[in-house]
Amino acid sequence: MRNLLLGYDIGSSSVKATILDADTGKVVAAEGLPKVEMPINAPQKDWAEQDPEMWWEYIVACTKAIVSKADLKSGELKAIGISYQMHGLVLVDKEQQVLRPAIIWCDSRAVGIGNQAFEKLGASYCLPHLLNSPGNFTASKLRWVKENEPQIYEKIHKFMLPGDYIAMRLSGEILTSETGLSEGIFWDYKRRTVSKELLEAYDIDTALIPNTVASFSVQSKVSPEVASLLGIDAGVPICYRAGDQPNNALSLNVLQEGELATTAGTSGTVYGVSKKPIYDPKSRVNTFIHVNHQQSNPSYGVLLCVNGTGILNSWVRRILGSEQLTYPKMNQLASEVGIGADGLAFIPFGNGVERIMENKPVGASLQNLNLLKHDHKHILRATQEGIVAALTYGFDIMKDMGLNLNTVKAGHANMFLSPLFREAFVNMNQVALELYDTDGSQGAARGAGIGLGYYGSQADAFVGLEKITSLEPEQSLAEAYQGVYATWLTALEKVK
């Protein structure tokens, strides 16, 4: 009999599910839905919402598909893990019915609320205790609901992060994690508990907070009704949950101090691990509890996030040619223009306010456009170089915090499929890049095995994790890309 693990990854673009062989680390079956990007609704400027029921419908469809592909037998599935888009807010009543659309990570409506809370609580409390400004995170979004939708707030039984919601649908139990509360900026790192001061500042009832479980632990079990719907055994334990960026780090075996992981999907991120609870005084990058954190062996994740990454690339694709213009074709056309795109610079901050820009609405824009010189190829190249430049801007902040940025790991996916993007990333940032054959749903499956206690050590969970290639910076290219970055910085100053 096989020993199998199931991992879910609930993103804002798609839902993925993977069944992994726990003993070999190999993928048995995988599915991602929808085949086009999930809609993000914006009923007002700077809003971003999704229907949690949509996530669940794709979870059901993905699970049925991979159960069939894997020819799953009773007793083979040992545990389930869940990765999810961070910082979202899901609200349910006592009957576990969703009260409003989820306010997701790139929604900017609560920026002012977070700024006011930072002034009220003061930097002397927020930075050492919360490691962040309350900002535009889950706690501030919950306060927004209290202020603007009091009739909904009064009906709230519990608030949840997106992964907590999926776990609730699987098991019927409402739980969260300390990692999740930290990403929502509810956590007091000095007192190692929920922040009393923040809850008082926002007038949030502690009864709305779910009970917490460790990220790696037997948390709940699949209910008989859901098991019948999905085609799996009732009672399969849910043994892991984490936000997508801590989970991406886990999927790449980035668990120790000084290790770094990066992604370039809808948003672009760099996630570094620290043993110390460090923070950026301006909260341009953010510190959370990492998945392997223990009080006796602390571990923190420092997250740089650029909202306008893959979403900018997909926008350019739609504008220039939609379905007729594939991503490989875009990469080819972009490479036909020299480094620097003849001075064209793309500022990519068009997917909500950006933390590295101190939550200012910088927006997206093309700078230095010459109508007699620049064409679609220049725009395609400037898009990729502009995204890398934005990540480099964040890299510099992380360096100032004392993080050692020498080698970065990434999954061979999304924008890292582009040779041009990889070249620009390595040379503009002066880092080595290691690409692995993995994704968030595989990471969630491995996390489930760790949480179940299936592996003798955490290191054993990464059997089968394969490195595809490594890239090192080249001096001649590095000098050229430093010039690109300098041009981009000058363009940024015009719009900041």
Side-chain angles (χ1 to χ4, degrees), residues 237-269:
I238 300 165
C239 296
Y240 170 76
R241 72 183 72 195
D244 51 7
Q245 300 312 319
N247 177 74
N248 178 64
L250 170 75
S251 71
L252 295 161
N253 195 15
V254 172
L255 295 169
Q256 304 305 318
E257 185 171 37
E259 296 179 335
L260 296 140
T262 185
T263 62
T266 303
S267 64
T269 66

Side-chain angles (χ1 to χ4, degrees), residues 432-451:
L433 176 66
E434 297 179 356
L435 293 175
Y436 290 82
D437 183 15
T438 189
D439 63 19
S441 60
Q442 291 183 43
R446 295 181 193 276
I450 296 172

